[in-house]
Amino acid sequence: MFHTGLRSGTAVQAAEEAGPDAELYFQRCRWCCNTTFQRLLCPTCGSTDLNPELSEGEGVISVRRGFAAADADLWPVYMSEGFTVRCRVDGPLHAVRPGVRVKVSSGVGVTGRRPVVRLCEEVPLDGWI
């Protein structure tokens, strides 16, 4: 059973139901085809006609701006479908930075309402300062 945001409060497959990779659902506006994550209205045209779709689960960590200390472990991830979601990143701290490719992970499960992603590429500690 998969959950889609508005009813259960999460858009990620529950940890006990997870297979090799978790599934992430997003919404696509039927009017303007804009993609968004866990919204009631389309941020572009204001339509309420949003269709849930399954994401490929791959994205890139984006630049973090103006984050609170409570959200220090959350990173914005730009997904391949064109929406951005704040995620917890599973990986070595030195490797978590903007531009690194990630994939939705089920190994760690869901932390609260935030998806968990894992790094797709290993970044060596040498040369990174």
Side-chain angles (χ1 to χ4, degrees), residues 18-35:
D21 288 314
E23 294 181 336
L24 179 70
Y25 286 87
F26 67 99
Q27 298 156 307
R28 185 178 305 273
C29 178
R30 290 187 179 148
W31 288 93
C32 70
C33 296
N34 184 47
T35 58

Side-chain angles (χ1 to χ4, degrees), residues 14 21 46 50 52 87 110:
D21 288 314
L50 301 174
C87 302
V110 179

Side-chain angles (χ1 to χ4, degrees), residues 105-125:
S105 173
S106 64
V108 225
V110 179
T111 309
R113 294 181 57 194
R114 300 293 177 192
V116 177
V117 294
R118 62 178 161 76
L119 302 175
C120 288
E121 50 200 47
E122 287 297 321
V123 179
L125 191 55

Side-chain angles (χ1 to χ4, degrees), residues 8-122:
S8 66
T10 182
V12 181
Q13 180 181 0
E16 64 274 2
E17 303 165 350
D21 288 314
E23 294 181 336
L24 179 70
Y25 286 87
F26 67 99
Q27 298 156 307
R28 185 178 305 273
C29 178
R30 290 187 179 148
W31 288 93
C32 70
C33 296
N34 184 47
T35 58
T36 189
F37 184 71
Q38 291 186 346
R39 297 278 186 115
L40 295 175
L41 299 173
C42 172
T44 303
C45 70
S47 171
T48 58
D49 196 5
L50 301 174
N51 186 36
E53 292 185 19
L54 179 62
S55 172
E56 292 178 11
E58 296 180 358
V60 175
I61 296 176
S62 299
V63 176
R64 217 173 22 176
R65 293 186 176 94
F67 63 94
D71 295 335
D73 60 341
L74 293 177
W75 285 82
V77 175
Y78 183 76
M79 302 303 285
S80 60
E81 291 83 9
F83 66 96
T84 302
V85 59
R86 291 174 23 145
C87 302
R88 300 198 188 284
V89 180
D90 178 34
L93 292 177
H94 74 274
V96 179
R97 64 180 191 275
V100 175
R101 292 178 337 136
V102 293
K103 186 167 180 70
V104 175
S105 173
S106 64
V108 225
V110 179
T111 309
R113 294 181 57 194
R114 300 293 177 192
V116 177
V117 294
R118 62 178 161 76
L119 302 175
C120 288
E121 50 200 47
E122 287 297 321

